[in-house]
Amino acid sequence: MASQPKQMFGEPISLVGPTPADLESTAQLEKVLREAGMYESPEESAVRAEVLRDLQGIVDLWVKQLTLKHGYPDAMVDEATALLLPFGSYRLGVHGGGSDIDALVVGPSFVDRDQDFFGVLADALAETEAVTDLQPVPGAHVPVMKLRFRGVQVDLVYASANLPVVPRDLYLSDRSVLRGLDHVTARSMNGVRVADEILRLVPDAAAFRTTLRCVKLWAKARGVYSNVSGFLGGVAWSILVARVCQLYPNASPSMLVSRFFKVLGQWRWPTPATQRIIKEQIQAGHVACQEITAAGGRCWGALFQPFPFFRTHKSYLQVDAMVAGGEEELREWKGWVESRLRQLVAKVERDTFGKLLCHQNPRAYDAEPHGLRCASSFFVGLSKPQQQQKPSPPQGQQPQFDLRATADEFLQDVYTYRFWRPGLELVVKHVRRKDLPSYVMQKIRGPNIHELKRKRADDDSSPSSPPLCSSSSASSGDDDSVRRPSSRARLHPT
């Protein structure tokens, strides 16, 4: 029976199992993962279970009240219920300390997403003492309701089944469940369906989980774990790990990790803007694994060294999201800005005909608030293609790029936000490494901080360039001199 699933995805590359040295290396890897917080404690597990149980009670009561409101008989009201199904890392069994809980609420056919889920249920949650930071996002690609329940971050999505009463044993992996559903509802169900399918198809769930924990920690450290930034998100990395597990069905996690980087280093990738960065990081992971293997499979910490983003580039686009209404408003606004940043990356590389490459940092850096005025900054590293890396020309002869029109086009795109209001502002400007804001420097940690400071000092000898600065509050009363600088702003690539 153990070999039966393997026939579903073709021939494996190797059936070789682990040696005692591989098992010892896996033990060392798991130790590093535990020290990095990739496993939750028993106390955290108990809290999450309690959160899910209490949320289940709330959605059950919600559905019963709606069933009664629609005039259905008492017997149907008694049977009325909703499913609360975790998905993502929690369902896959790879969540760690402090992880979010993604959960799908499945209700009966007469329960509406807009009025009942984002209306009635949101109101009920807002009145629940355990709930804080409630943020409905009905306009998302997959509409979601974000909240904290007893301090645990929970993201709820909703789907109506084509059933008047939802049975507790509803099997979402059955394709018939999707019959007659709209695209938004089907997408909302995908998280649960994909997680269950992955676990069904991997030959060894325990080996898959350990390997995936490792890949997630690596991808976050190297800055390539972000679906919204155009990299790969949790589901994509899970599928890639699952595929490698299928190719090496008897391998231990230490073997699977090294083979993961070897296989994907030879992968025929599609060509999005972030492909170059993902391939570079996978190749770096492959080299690190080779060195770890050569050292006896014990030094796994080397694989998870953070990518030195602010040592890698000298020039950046700094994108500042600013609000006048406090931290809650900043969380909303910067979330929208973050979702559009990949468009800025694509526009810059398009408008410079590929002569200027972009590397987006998925992390946001929050400045110290001043009263209700809050700001958060995103950074995009700028560089020339490798084949163009030549000795710098004399000062005054540097190649120049005028990105004002590009930045203005990006601003207009961001200001299409349907919930825009006065006080939500955005600025795009060019900065060099030596001019990084102090609040960014304060949040850069690690043993290389002194080297970064030396690099900033070295930048003083580099030719400076006029700042690219495009900003707008999207107000018709803005001074045009603020939105469109009169001097030509140019970038000198490094």
Side-chain angles (χ1 to χ4, degrees):
M1 293 296 291
S3 63
Q4 184 177 358
K6 300 174 188 176
Q7 300 173 1
M8 303 173 64
F9 40 73
E11 293 296 321
I13 292 176
S14 173
L15 295 174
V16 173
T19 65
D22 292 322
L23 295 177
E24 174 61 25
S25 182
T26 294
Q28 294 294 324
L29 173 60
E30 290 176 339
K31 179 181 178 182
V32 171
L33 294 176
R34 291 188 183 280
E35 291 173 350
M38 297 302 290
Y39 295 84
E40 70 175 358
S41 67
E43 293 78 15
E44 288 177 308
S45 295
V47 170
R48 292 178 194 280
E50 186 177 347
V51 166
L52 289 171
R53 185 180 65 247
D54 291 350
L55 277 173
Q56 180 68 68
I58 291 172
V59 297
D60 278 345
L61 179 60
W62 166 65
V63 169
K64 288 182 184 297
Q65 291 174 338
L66 291 173
T67 306
L68 183 63
K69 179 181 177 181
H70 280 76
Y72 290 107
D74 291 344
M76 188 170 168
V77 174
D78 293 338
E79 294 180 11
T81 186
L83 298 184
L84 183 68
L85 304 173
F87 60 93
S89 62
Y90 194 92
R91 194 170 192 85
L92 289 172
V94 295
H95 54 290
S99 296
D100 300 351
I101 297 178
D102 298 309
L104 166 68
V105 179
V106 182
S109 56
F110 58 84
V111 174
D112 176 77
R113 177 185 295 103
D114 293 331
Q115 294 183 359
D116 297 327
F117 181 72
F118 285 112
V120 179
L121 180 59
D123 290 343
L125 289 170
E127 296 174 359
T128 302
E129 185 177 356
V131 173
T132 58
D133 298 340
L134 181 65
Q135 183 185 357
V137 191
H141 184 64
V142 178
V144 61
M145 185 146 53
K146 298 175 176 289
L147 61 124
R148 285 192 174 274
F149 198 101
R150 296 201 182 92
V152 177
Q153 178 65 44
V154 180
D155 291 353
L156 296 177
V157 300
Y158 178 75
S160 287
N162 278 328
L163 297 166
V165 176
V166 179
R168 286 290 186 193
D169 59 352
L170 181 64
Y171 184 55
L172 292 187
S173 294
D174 190 332
R175 287 180 177 272
S176 64
V177 173
L178 301 178
R179 197 169 295 139
L181 300 182
D182 59 72
H183 292 304
V184 175
T185 301
R187 285 198 298 267
S188 298
M189 287 188 175
N190 274 349
V192 173
R193 288 168 51 82
V194 169
D196 288 348
E197 191 72 359
I198 288 174
L199 292 176
R200 185 179 71 84
L201 291 174
V202 293
D204 184 337
F208 162 75
R209 290 185 174 111
T210 301
T211 307
L212 180 55
R213 289 181 195 274
C214 177
V215 169
K216 288 179 63 175
L217 180 60
W218 165 83
K220 290 177 179 179
R222 305 303 293 184
V224 290
Y225 189 96
S226 175
N227 183 60
V228 72
S229 298
F231 298 111
L232 302 182
V235 173
W237 288 117
S238 300
I239 292 173
L240 293 177
V241 170
R243 182 56 181 148
V244 174
C245 289
Q246 293 173 344
L247 296 175
Y248 301 92
N250 299 320
S252 66
S254 62
M255 299 166 66
L256 289 168
V257 170
S258 62
R259 283 152 179 78
F260 174 86
F261 291 108
K262 181 178 181 179
V263 169
L264 293 186
Q266 303 169 7
W267 202 267
R268 293 185 178 180
W269 292 85
T271 55
T274 55
Q275 178 224 44
R276 169 181 53 85
I277 298 166
I278 294 173
K279 289 178 67 175
E280 288 173 355
Q281 294 308 316
I282 287 176
Q283 183 58 35
H286 179 49
V287 172
C289 284
Q290 288 179 315
E291 294 174 350
I292 292 167
T293 300
R298 292 178 174 273
C299 305
W300 283 103
L303 180 63
F304 309 115
Q305 290 300 309
F307 176 71
F309 179 80
F310 289 106
R311 288 192 295 116
T312 303
H313 306 284
K314 291 183 179 179
S315 292
Y316 305 86
L317 292 181
Q318 179 177 331
V319 181
D320 296 331
M322 300 172 289
V323 302
E327 294 182 1
E328 185 69 29
E329 189 172 73
L330 178 63
R331 183 162 44 247
E332 170 201 344
W333 179 231
K334 80 176 182 181
W336 169 251
V337 172
E338 181 184 22
S339 73
R340 311 309 298 171
L341 276 177
R342 70 169 81 177
Q343 300 300 324
L344 176 62
V345 169
K347 292 176 193 298
V348 169
E349 296 194 354
R350 176 201 68 192
D351 292 350
T352 61
F353 304 99
K355 295 180 180 179
L356 196 60
L357 300 180
C358 297
H359 183 169
Q360 181 183 338
N361 186 339
R363 180 178 175 181
Y365 295 84
D366 292 347
E368 285 293 325
H370 296 279
L372 291 178
R373 289 200 62 83
C374 301
S376 189
S377 299
F378 297 94
F379 292 88
V380 177
L382 302 172
S383 63
K384 293 183 296 185
Q386 194 65 34
Q387 63 270 24
Q388 295 185 25
Q389 298 287 357
K390 301 176 181 178
S392 299
Q395 186 170 354
Q397 299 181 23
Q398 294 86 1
Q400 299 177 342
F401 298 97
D402 185 349
L403 295 181
R404 286 188 305 163
T406 306
D408 283 345
E409 182 183 348
F410 170 69
L411 290 171
Q412 296 306 316
D413 176 45
V414 172
Y415 282 119
T416 62
Y417 184 49
R418 61 183 291 194
F419 301 110
W420 183 88
R421 51 198 176 272
L424 304 185
E425 300 178 10
L426 187 67
V427 171
V428 181
K429 58 187 175 183
H430 170 235
V431 296
R432 298 183 69 82
R433 182 166 52 206
K434 65 186 181 68
D435 299 318
L436 288 171
S438 59
Y439 58 86
V440 173
M441 294 303 300
Q442 292 168 2
K443 294 173 184 175
I444 298 174
R445 300 169 181 167
N448 296 317
I449 183 65
H450 299 297
E451 181 180 346
L452 176 58
K453 289 179 178 178
R454 288 196 298 272
K455 284 180 173 287
R456 290 179 68 179
D458 293 342
D459 289 344
D460 288 333
S461 60
S462 302
S464 61
S465 59
L468 178 152
C469 183
S470 288
S471 64
S472 172
S473 62
S475 169
S476 59
D478 283 345
D479 184 347
D480 190 61
S481 64
V482 176
R483 296 186 65 249
R484 299 184 182 276
S486 57
S487 61
R488 298 293 288 174
R490 291 180 168 85
L491 294 178
H492 300 298
T494 56

